[in-house]
Amino acid sequence: MKPTTRRSFIARAAATLGTAPLLSRINALAFPARDTAPIKARPFELKHVRLRRGPFLNAAEVNRRYMASLNADSLLHMFRVTAGLPSSAKPLGGWEQPENELRGHFTGHYLSACALINASMGDESLKARGDQLVAELGKCQKALGNGYLSAFPETFFDRLRAGTNVWAPFYTLHKIMVGLLDMHTYCGNQQALDVLKGMANWTRRFVDPLGDAHMARVLEREYGGMNDVLYNLYAVTGDRSYRQLAARFDHERVFAPLAEGRDELKGLHVNTQIPKIIGAARRYELTGESRSRDIADYFWREVTGKRCYCTGGTSNGEAWNSAPGKLAGELSGYTQECCCTYNMLKLTRHLFGWTADPHAADYYERALFNGILGTQHPEDGMTLYYVSLASGYWKLFGLPLEAFWCCTGSGVESFGKLGDSIYFHDDEGVYVNLQIASEVDWPEKGVKIIQDTTFPESDTTTISLRCKTPVRMPLRIRVPYWATRGGTVKLNGRELESFAEPSSYFVLNRTWQDGDKVEVTMPMSLHVNAMPDDSTLQAAMYGPLVLFGKLGSEGLTKENLRAEPTPIREVPRYRVKASAAPEFKTRSQDLRECIEPVPGRPLEFRTVGQAQNVTLVPFYKLLDERYGVYWKVGKAG
Ligand SMILES: [Zn+2]
């Protein structure tokens, strides 16, 4: 497919919608109060979960280093300039450069990531950095005098109101508002809440004079999750006026068909939609209104079921270009924008909370292992914009001071909260949803759960319990969709007779003693994920992992493994062409028939008996090389 740049996408979307769309991100993770909808399972707070040694902890550490390397004055520079305050700092590059209309968005993400990393790793220096930024942003807001706070002037909003060309001012504002909210909820920063309220009150003064038709036009421009952050502000403050303001950002043109179970998503910019659906999910939780739940639930099922690739990612050229279930023609170098994965995980977390449905956790695992892990450069923490799913592309990372794409922002958050959604709980017991080396503290129950595993390198996880006094509770261990070969559970070394079906929970309801150990083994096997509309286009999977075929590094130099500094309003482009992928032939046109494990090398596979054979590895083990995911499989003989 012809590569789609943001510029050409914007031109195309502007022609159809009369507006320029854009991108987005996730936000605050835990507001226990004021939910009126029934919640079946709550995620443990990040501060109670710690990662242990393994690929996830490594990625979190790399991210923390990248975060620490950035200069606070540079992150503040355009905020100060906009507020008329002196600044001699070196401006950031990429989408943060002084001429870029999204400038300031990354500072919002940065605040969120400081808060998340403090909660999940106990990092005090990044908390201090976040506190410093909040204090300095507070000075900028004070200098501006009316609650407004941004790295660009209010005239951008005049253009939005007037319907003249501007990128996405509310999108950017949303990032800053969530950053402040996260600094408040995770780090207890009171000033962050005050600054956020000032911004919300400014937003109210912008929105109030607009009639519904005028507001509907404003909502055609990408606005991130303005509804979501304002519903959350209501949750935190109890002030109903924020709930009313949030509702003005509920996008009825998009919501109405979803509420009625109609997929009218074709032609829409993907990451413009997911955050507003998260807002609908939050509205349901806070109000109990079933229509909002229907919107989020139908959207989630439609997107995960019919619009996601085998990796759990979605979007091509940032859009949904086809009817549901039509994906074979949607492979390019610009598939699966990483912000979309980040936001789908966030939405999934809400859905799981309502249902405790193991299928939602199945999706979470798929998207996390194939769409987040592996999108980060292991040396400098740079993240991808897209995960290309057409053959012959490679991981195109940005440069630490010259990218600041939307996905750089959602990336520092994704890798700042890897402990999230591993464990959930209800009043009685625990759900262990992901096999990730980690531990969780549940002070209310007086129990700590430690998960030791090298999964996915091995298929065994050991769960140990620590408690001062015996604790009666159900321990629910997720058995994933891919565990079709069954599994075994040993309790304190003794093998139990029963197991559970794929996509369900194995429940151990008993009184736990300190030191009790549960050892779970779930063998992985090869399976095939074919395109829903072309069964001859197949991807290989092993357990939860999509296998990426290594296609060599011909024509790739050090320079073109990295994206060029991004011109204003453009997305990164590949400097050299994709290479062709081999086709495979097997007896029954089943990719599994030509793939074998490589002895002595865990998670490494190789095709056999083909004109051109290929080595396959999980996404997170592949770097600086061309790859293929979907293969054309013909009939041998
Ligand atoms: Zn993005």
Side-chain angles (χ1 to χ4, degrees):
M1 184 178 164
K2 190 167 159 275
T4 308
T5 64
R6 180 173 292 282
R7 175 168 290 170
S8 66
F9 175 76
I10 285 170
R12 200 172 70 222
T16 53
L17 298 176
T19 178
L22 209 227
L23 18 125
S24 188
R25 49 137 296 137
I26 215 170
N27 66 13
L29 294 169
F31 303 118
R34 298 177 218 281
D35 281 352
T36 60
I39 302 293
K40 273 200 171 162
R42 289 189 184 280
F44 280 92
E45 287 183 62
L46 267 184
K47 68 179 179 191
H48 289 138
V49 182
R50 285 288 178 270
L51 295 171
R52 290 160 76 91
R53 211 159 60 131
F56 284 87
L57 181 57
N58 291 345
E61 291 288 5
V62 172
N63 186 52
R64 169 154 76 167
R65 281 206 304 275
Y66 173 59
M67 286 284 294
S69 75
L70 295 174
N71 178 284
D73 287 322
S74 294
L75 289 160
L76 288 162
H77 175 69
M78 286 310 294
F79 287 88
R80 286 170 168 158
V81 169
T82 303
L85 299 175
S87 174
S88 55
K90 187 173 188 290
L92 301 172
W95 287 12
E96 283 296 327
Q97 61 188 282
E99 300 78 23
N100 194 294
E101 292 195 350
L102 280 201
R103 61 188 184 259
H105 77 108
F106 186 81
T107 301
H109 287 294
Y110 190 87
L111 281 176
S112 290
C114 284
L116 294 166
I117 294 168
N118 172 250
S120 60
M121 303 178 88
D123 188 309
E124 289 300 322
S125 65
L126 281 176
K127 176 182 180 294
R129 180 80 65 86
D131 287 338
Q132 176 200 358
L133 286 172
V134 170
E136 295 303 312
L137 290 171
K139 288 178 194 167
C140 296
Q141 188 184 46
K142 192 160 177 240
L144 286 161
N146 61 352
Y148 183 74
L149 173 65
S150 175
F152 50 72
E154 276 185 78
T155 53
F156 282 34
F157 284 92
D158 296 337
R159 287 155 61 192
L160 179 67
R161 189 194 293 109
T164 52
N165 192 36
V166 65
W167 198 347
F170 270 124
Y171 169 89
T172 313
L173 220 59
H174 167 245
K175 306 298 164 262
I176 301 159
M177 292 170 79
V178 179
L180 292 163
L181 184 65
D182 288 345
M183 280 303 298
H184 174 66
T185 52
Y186 290 105
C187 300
N189 186 313
Q190 186 57 40
Q191 188 187 3
L193 182 62
D194 295 338
V195 176
L196 171 58
K197 282 190 206 162
M199 292 179 77
N201 296 338
W202 178 90
T203 301
R204 182 187 291 117
R205 287 197 297 278
F206 177 89
V207 163
D208 269 356
L210 305 182
D212 287 344
H214 195 169
M215 188 64 189
R217 286 199 297 279
V218 165
L219 295 185
E220 290 298 323
R221 192 70 48 110
E222 184 170 7
Y223 62 86
M226 281 298 292
N227 53 347
D228 186 43
V229 69
L230 290 165
Y231 283 124
N232 280 326
L233 183 56
Y234 156 64
V236 167
T237 61
D239 182 340
R240 282 176 165 264
S241 73
Y242 294 127
R243 190 173 121 184
Q244 288 157 2
L245 182 58
R248 302 253 12 227
F249 287 90
D250 286 340
H251 197 180
E252 215 26 53
R253 184 179 72 81
V254 173
F255 287 5
L258 295 169
E260 291 161 18
R262 290 199 316 276
D263 182 335
E264 295 182 3
L265 300 172
K266 183 179 169 181
L268 296 183
H269 180 261
V270 176
N271 199 48
T272 293
Q273 315 312 324
I274 310 171
K276 58 181 83 155
I277 305 299
I278 296 168
R282 200 60 192 121
R283 175 170 172 156
Y284 163 65
E285 289 169 0
L286 291 165
T287 65
E289 293 166 7
S290 60
R291 182 175 184 268
S292 295
R293 176 179 173 140
D294 293 345
I295 290 165
D297 182 62
Y298 175 77
F299 177 90
W300 185 86
R301 281 185 287 117
E302 197 67 9
V303 172
T304 59
K306 297 179 188 159
R307 294 187 173 280
C308 277
Y309 304 99
C310 58
T311 49
T314 186
S315 77
N316 181 21
E318 305 197 13
W320 287 306
N321 308 298
S322 56
K326 299 288 179 198
L327 286 171
E330 294 298 322
L331 295 176
S332 77
Y334 300 85
T335 45
Q336 191 172 318
E337 185 191 346
C338 291
C339 288
C340 297
T341 309
Y342 157 97
N343 278 312
M344 283 306 293
L345 288 176
K346 183 176 172 186
L347 179 61
T348 301
R349 186 175 184 273
H350 286 281
L351 270 285
F352 182 82
W354 310 338
T355 58
D357 180 352
H359 294 93
D362 281 344
Y363 173 79
Y364 200 100
E365 177 190 61
R366 179 190 287 266
L368 181 68
F369 278 80
N370 300 298
I372 299 291
L373 191 66
T375 61
Q376 179 205 55
H377 198 286
E379 278 154 28
D380 59 18
M382 279 294 87
T383 43
L384 299 176
Y385 195 127
Y386 303 105
V387 177
S388 318
L389 293 171
S391 293
Y393 288 94
W394 57 97
K395 292 183 179 180
L396 190 64
F397 294 100
L399 294 160
L401 296 173
E402 299 292 344
F404 300 111
W405 308 317
C406 49
C407 301
T408 318
S410 57
V412 293
E413 292 185 44
S414 286
F415 290 98
K417 62 178 185 78
L418 292 170
D420 178 50
S421 296
I422 302 174
Y423 306 97
F424 284 75
H425 69 88
D426 57 13
D427 289 345
E428 274 88 50
V430 172
Y431 295 86
V432 181
N433 271 3
L434 297 169
Q435 294 181 72
I436 292 177
S438 58
E439 55 190 63
V440 59
D441 226 342
W442 195 3
E444 291 83 359
K445 279 266 180 194
V447 66
K448 184 180 199 172
I449 295 169
I450 299 167
Q451 197 184 161
D452 283 309
T453 184
T454 55
F455 182 87
E457 309 255 327
S458 89
D459 55 13
T460 298
T461 296
T462 303
I463 296 167
S464 319
L465 285 94
R466 297 271 180 277
C467 47
K468 285 208 175 78
T469 54
V471 175
R472 170 124 200 132
M473 68 166 193
L475 181 70
R476 309 173 185 100
I477 299 163
R478 177 175 147 264
V479 178
Y481 72 96
W482 49 260
T484 49
R485 290 166 61 193
T488 55
V489 179
K490 286 183 191 168
L491 176 60
N492 294 327
R494 188 173 53 86
E495 187 167 328
L496 305 180
E497 279 176 18
S498 57
F499 197 64
E501 292 296 308
S503 290
S504 72
Y505 284 93
F506 182 80
V507 184
L508 272 164
N509 195 357
R510 64 193 295 276
T511 301
W512 299 93
Q513 314 282 341
D514 185 46
D516 277 349
K517 261 191 179 35
V518 181
E519 197 180 309
V520 188
T521 302
M522 291 184 276
M524 290 181 259
S525 56
L526 274 175
H527 52 112
V528 166
N529 191 299
M531 277 294 181
D533 52 334
D534 182 356
S535 61
T536 66
L537 207 51
Q538 300 176 5
M541 296 187 70
Y542 185 67
L545 304 167
V546 175
L547 297 177
F548 284 60
K550 297 163 83 157
L551 296 179
S553 52
E554 197 185 340
L556 298 183
T557 62
K558 201 163 167 270
E559 285 69 40
N560 52 37
L561 285 167
R562 293 280 182 160
E564 287 179 84
T566 325
I568 291 171
R569 276 206 190 202
E570 285 202 8
V571 299
R573 283 162 297 166
Y574 300 89
R575 294 190 230 192
V576 288
K577 284 195 173 134
S579 64
E583 293 188 14
F584 300 133
K585 290 196 187 319
T586 79
R587 234 163 3 114
S588 3
Q589 275 188 290
D590 183 329
L591 187 56
R592 277 176 301 186
E593 292 172 336
C594 69
I595 296 178
E596 287 181 356
V598 176
R601 299 187 65 89
L603 304 180
E604 197 169 309
F605 295 82
R606 180 113 183 120
T607 61
V608 287
Q610 304 299 314
Q612 181 190 336
N613 282 305
V614 168
T615 298
L616 301 119
V617 296
F619 191 48
Y620 73 96
K621 287 180 173 279
L622 185 132
L623 190 68
D624 294 351
E625 194 167 353
R626 298 175 187 274
Y627 61 76
V629 178
Y630 284 99
W631 313 92
K632 194 77 186 166
V633 182
K635 211 165 169 54

